[in-house]
Amino acid sequence: MSINLAQLKLSQQQLAEQVSLVDNFNPTIKLIGGTDVGFEQDGSVTRAAIVTLTFPDFDVVEYHIARLETSFPYIPGYLSFREYPALLKAWQQLEQKPDLLLVDGQGVAHPRRLGIASHLGLLLDMPTIGVAKSKLCGQYEVQPKLAGKVTPLLDKQEQIGWVLQSKNNCNPLFISAGHKISQTSALHWVKQCLRGYRLPEPTRWADAIASNKPLFRKFKHGK
């Protein structure tokens, strides 16, 4: 597969210019969504899960899993091109769309300010937040591993997100605005979705659905 990285880099830069870090949604959130992407069959199949939950109770309203043949190789910094086709397919199946979407991955905390949360937010024209389990770029002051601790994530004197200690004695989360939301609101809404686990409920549920974890198996059994 021939990949023109220079062209993709230019595409990312052009898309990043369209990203809005201004709140542009109704703050009365009734439905909140989460996404998770994984790979099967040695990476040849992309699996995307999307879930819609009620807010603030986090009851499952609807979920879908989409599988597509992987059409883009693993290249750090360009993962959104690898992940978004399956996410779009899952989204198209969703009848009850969320008001706000938490995406497993980076928002603008990306070298070219276009992680999967920002890329997907542009494609869907909706507010998104990046909730990443590891840092892609930037620097921050290490905090004690105490739940609630927050420090800015900086890159070249620009704040690109937050480092949030979501649970005691766990690795932090890297929160960044995706699209149509401010950095302050991105942090606020992730905090609103924490229920004692490392991951906020929307991405915790998406991860459980994608990987058929005990949380999801218990839910299916109880239906």
Side-chain angles (χ1 to χ4, degrees), residues 61-115:
V61 175
E62 187 181 353
Y63 65 89
H64 291 282
I65 298 173
R67 288 177 171 85
L68 281 180
E69 181 180 348
T70 304
S71 58
F72 193 91
Y74 175 80
I75 306 174
Y78 297 87
L79 297 186
S80 67
F81 294 99
R82 181 173 167 89
E83 296 183 351
Y84 82 71
L87 283 168
L88 288 182
K89 183 179 179 183
W91 177 265
Q92 288 160 3
Q93 298 174 56
L94 207 59
E95 293 184 6
Q96 300 193 67
K97 305 287 201 277
D99 305 306
L100 176 65
L101 190 61
L102 274 61
V103 180
D104 177 54
Q106 311 290 347
V108 295
H110 179 280
R112 288 168 296 284
R113 309 297 184 255
L114 194 83

Side-chain angles (χ1 to χ4, degrees), residues 52-67:
T52 299
L53 306 169
T54 61
F55 182 84
D57 298 325
F58 301 110
D59 294 323
V60 176
V61 175
E62 187 181 353
Y63 65 89
H64 291 282
I65 298 173
R67 288 177 171 85

Side-chain angles (χ1 to χ4, degrees), residues 140-146 149-152 163 165:
Y140 65 97
E141 185 178 331
V142 177
Q143 298 284 329
K145 292 193 173 184
L146 298 174
K149 289 284 186 180
V150 181
T151 189
V163 185
Q165 193 67 45

